[in-house]
């Protein structure tokens, strides 16, 4: 087993060590090394094409606003990719797009109007011409074409469709999820039957599962930093990102309260994951 493969499996274990929603079991349905393979997709983009466009879809609608899980990881990955010379673009709908557009490159997708999604998505892919696409905690379509939250509630009218970017793109796709109803989970659809969830059927080339989707982004960043000999994870401040998002109206996806937490977990849990990943990749903490 290569050192990178072994490291990937160690990272994958860390990402699901707490296991609040059964992702430790879902992990067994994936071929080990998925964090490595996902990071290699991004690394190839960076190496082969300076200024490569990488789309990052995020934003899960909760009680009229957006949850903290997803945007934190998306911003961390965005900053890391930009530092390495790529051109990341965050793709999301309202209200998240409205608060991020002032600070980040963004592309808006329409909320709750899915009749023309194929044409709009193909036009966006043609215009943006991405070399890779990443989905971090985006709702994924269920078998009936609708979107459901962790409580089994139909949230289609509040959801923008990012699934087409994964289905119709001509570039590699990566997804991160933590519950079973996110984009990418179609890759392990057979394993989701044990979970109390309306599963997503939308797949991806590589799927990363984590206890909190934000942390899956950290797994990819760990490899990018290792290969570039840059302590990229040290540049991530989850608390500062959470404070930024909170001021813009975010809520915790589990508690539905505007607070500095991720899926009901204190920010220290995410910081602990970062510390563990930095230690694994040889950076002093």
């Amino acid at each position: 087993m290569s050192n990178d493969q072994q490291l990937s499996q160690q990272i994958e274990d860390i990402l699901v060590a707490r296991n609040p929603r059964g992702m430790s079991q879902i992990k067994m349905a994936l071929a080990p090394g998925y964090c490595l393979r996902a990071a290699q997709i991004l690394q190839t983009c960076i190496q082969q094409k300076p200024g490569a466009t990488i789309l990052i879809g995020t934003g899960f609608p909760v009680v009229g606003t957006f949850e903290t899980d997803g945007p934190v990881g998306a911003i961390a990955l965005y900053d890391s990719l930009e530092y390495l010379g790529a051109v990341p673009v965050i793709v999301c709908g309202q209200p998240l797009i409205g608060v991020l557009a002032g600070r980040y490159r963004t592309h808006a997708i329409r909320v709750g109007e899915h009749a023309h999604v194929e044409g709009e998505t193909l036009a966006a892919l043609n215009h943006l011409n991405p070399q890779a696409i990443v989905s971090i905690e985006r709702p994924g379509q269920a078998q009936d074409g609708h979107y459901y939250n962790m409580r089994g509630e139909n949230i289609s009218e509040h959801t923008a469709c990012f699934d087409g970017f994964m289905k119709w793109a001509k570039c590699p796709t990566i997804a991160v999820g933590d519950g079973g109803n996110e984009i990418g989970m179609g890759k392990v659809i057979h394993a989701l039957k044990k979970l109390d969830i309306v599963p997503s059927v939308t797949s991806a080339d590589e799927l990363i599962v984590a206890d909190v989707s934000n942390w899956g982004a950290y797994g990819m960043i760990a490899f990018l930093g290792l290969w570039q000999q840059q302590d990229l994870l040290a540049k991530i401040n989850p608390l500062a990102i959470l404070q930024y998002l909170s001021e813009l109206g975010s809520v915790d996806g589990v508690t539905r309260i505007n607070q500095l937490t991720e899926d009901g977990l204190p920010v220290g849990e995410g910081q602990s994951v970062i510390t563990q990943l930095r230690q694994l990749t040889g950076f002093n903490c």
Side-chain angles (χ1 to χ4, degrees), residues 80-158:
S80 298
L81 291 171
E82 187 171 58
Y83 179 81
L84 295 174
V87 179
V89 179
I90 296 178
V91 182
C92 54
Q94 292 289 4
L96 182 58
I97 189 78
V99 301
L100 295 184
R103 182 180 289 192
Y104 302 96
R105 282 180 296 273
T106 58
H107 176 80
I109 48 179
R110 283 201 284 176
V111 172
E113 299 180 38
H114 304 148
H116 306 289
V117 66
E118 182 172 357
E120 292 176 355
T121 301
L122 292 174
L125 287 169
N126 182 64
H127 172 68
L128 295 167
N129 188 28
Q131 278 68 63
I133 300 177
V134 185
S135 175
I136 304 176
E137 189 69 9
R138 276 293 316 177
Q141 285 179 319
Q143 187 66 49
D144 63 5
H146 294 303
Y147 296 92
Y148 296 88
N149 62 19
M150 63 184 294
R151 295 168 173 83
E153 299 163 342
N154 189 328
I155 57 170
S156 299
E157 65 178 299
H158 307 293

Side-chain angles (χ1 to χ4, degrees), residues 2-61:
S2 71
N3 289 337
D4 280 355
Q5 177 72 13
Q6 185 177 21
L7 175 61
S8 188
Q9 292 181 218
Q10 290 176 300
I11 290 173
E12 290 152 20
D13 287 341
I14 288 172
L15 295 181
V16 297
R18 292 154 182 82
N19 199 35
R21 297 177 65 188
M23 289 301 104
S24 181
Q25 288 72 41
I26 301 305
K27 167 180 168 290
M28 304 304 292
L30 291 166
Y34 48 83
C35 276
L36 169 62
R37 295 191 298 272
Q40 285 173 330
I41 289 172
L42 300 179
Q43 176 76 347
T44 298
C45 291
I46 294 166
Q47 290 180 330
Q48 291 186 349
K49 183 178 179 181
T53 298
I54 298 175
L55 305 185
I56 307 172
T58 195
F60 204 112

Side-chain angles (χ1 to χ4, degrees), residues 48-269:
Q48 291 186 349
K49 183 178 179 181
T53 298
I54 298 175
L55 305 185
I56 307 172
T58 195
F60 204 112
V62 179
V63 292
T65 185
F66 56 92
E67 70 164 300
T68 54
D69 188 24
V72 174
I75 289 171
L77 184 60
Y78 181 109
D79 289 343
S80 298
L81 291 171
E82 187 171 58
Y83 179 81
L84 295 174
V87 179
V89 179
I90 296 178
V91 182
C92 54
Q94 292 289 4
L96 182 58
I97 189 78
V99 301
L100 295 184
R103 182 180 289 192
Y104 302 96
R105 282 180 296 273
T106 58
H107 176 80
I109 48 179
R110 283 201 284 176
V111 172
E113 299 180 38
H114 304 148
H116 306 289
V117 66
E118 182 172 357
E120 292 176 355
T121 301
L122 292 174
L125 287 169
N126 182 64
H127 172 68
L128 295 167
N129 188 28
Q131 278 68 63
I133 300 177
V134 185
S135 175
I136 304 176
E137 189 69 9
R138 276 293 316 177
Q141 285 179 319
Q143 187 66 49
D144 63 5
H146 294 303
Y147 296 92
Y148 296 88
N149 62 19
M150 63 184 294
R151 295 168 173 83
E153 299 163 342
N154 189 328
I155 57 170
S156 299
E157 65 178 299
H158 307 293
T159 302
C161 179
F162 189 65
D163 303 65
F165 284 83
M166 312 298 280
K167 295 176 183 176
W168 301 316
K170 297 179 181 179
C171 62
T173 59
I174 302 164
V176 185
D178 63 15
N181 57 337
E182 303 91 0
I183 282 176
M185 289 294 177
K187 193 172 184 70
V188 290
I189 190 67
H190 62 285
L192 299 176
K193 296 177 182 179
K194 299 177 182 178
L195 302 182
D196 184 18
I197 198 81
V198 181
S200 164
V201 297
T202 303
S203 190
D205 292 327
E206 293 294 344
L207 170 65
I208 297 174
V209 292
D211 292 333
V212 176
S213 292
N214 291 332
W215 304 351
Y218 305 157
M220 290 184 281
I221 295 169
F223 273 113
L224 295 176
L226 174 66
W227 295 329
Q228 297 290 335
Q229 297 185 330
Q230 297 271 351
D231 192 0
L232 297 178
L233 288 171
K235 301 177 183 293
I236 300 170
N237 186 337
L239 178 57
I241 301 174
L242 281 169
Q243 289 171 331
Y244 162 70
L245 293 171
S246 178
E247 291 171 1
L248 297 172
S250 65
V251 296
D252 183 293
V254 172
T255 67
R256 297 186 169 187
I257 298 172
N258 180 284
Q259 59 190 67
L260 305 181
T261 55
E262 308 166 285
D263 282 351
L265 298 175
V267 65
E269 293 291 322

